[in-house]
Amino acid sequence: MCNWNKWFWRGFVTVAFLTALIALFRSGPVEADLVARTASELRFNQRWSAISFDGRDAILTGVAENVVQKRAATKLALETYGVRVVSDQTTLPEKADPFVFSATKDAAGITLTGNYDNSESHAALLAAVANAMPGIDVTDKLTFAV
């Protein structure tokens, strides 16, 4: 007669061990593929966001300008084939009270400090400073706030 109990537990332990090994060695390429595909979508539509993965679970980070952008980034990540769930760890900008801005010039160049309220105004400000004073280094220490 055969002792089924003895064979069952040996087989179960072997299958569990091999499954764990496969999951350990196959998760890296899967994560890399998901990061590449999801990041390309986010880079095109939601430049403020960053994505990382733990297996097939996405972790979305960054500072969104508004709630609509947060939802849009989460939706884009969820619509990527292979993503199981998205953990939305994005934040909204801090409230600046008072809203400040300063530009100082020294031997190293121009340093901009203070706050900006949206990415378009930030880009326009940096372009205006660079165009007004060509050849001078501009250090951007502005923070996003509303």
Side-chain angles (χ1 to χ4, degrees):
M1 271 279 190
C2 180
N3 186 355
W4 288 102
N5 192 23
K6 182 170 115 178
W7 285 102
F8 174 77
W9 287 111
R10 284 184 182 169
F12 180 76
V13 170
T14 303
V15 168
F17 178 72
L18 291 175
T19 303
L21 280 177
I22 290 170
L24 178 69
F25 288 114
R26 285 293 297 160
S27 66
V30 170
E31 286 178 11
D33 176 55
L34 287 172
V35 166
R37 289 188 294 118
T38 308
S40 70
E41 283 292 321
L42 291 173
R43 222 175 291 120
F44 182 70
N45 296 307
Q46 304 291 333
R47 294 175 190 247
W48 56 269
S49 62
I51 193 100
S52 61
F53 278 88
D54 181 17
R56 290 179 38 222
D57 301 344
I59 302 163
L60 187 64
T61 57
V63 180
E65 291 184 11
N66 52 46
V67 176
V68 174
Q69 282 188 345
K70 285 179 63 141
R71 289 183 186 142
T74 303
K75 184 179 177 196
L76 272 173
L78 273 173
E79 289 174 349
T80 303
Y81 178 76
V83 175
R84 190 171 68 95
V85 294
V86 175
S87 172
D88 183 5
Q89 297 179 2
T90 59
T91 59
L92 293 174
E94 297 177 14
K95 182 166 176 53
D97 190 24
F99 198 86
V100 295
F101 172 79
S102 69
T104 47
K105 172 141 178 24
D106 57 12
I110 298 173
T111 303
L112 303 175
T113 56
N115 308 109
Y116 67 93
D117 60 347
N118 63 43
S119 56
E120 291 85 18
S121 65
H122 183 233
L125 177 65
L126 292 176
V129 171
N131 289 337
M133 299 180 193
I136 297 176
D137 290 332
V138 178
T139 305
D140 179 18
K141 292 186 177 179
L142 297 169
T143 57
F144 183 49
V146 290

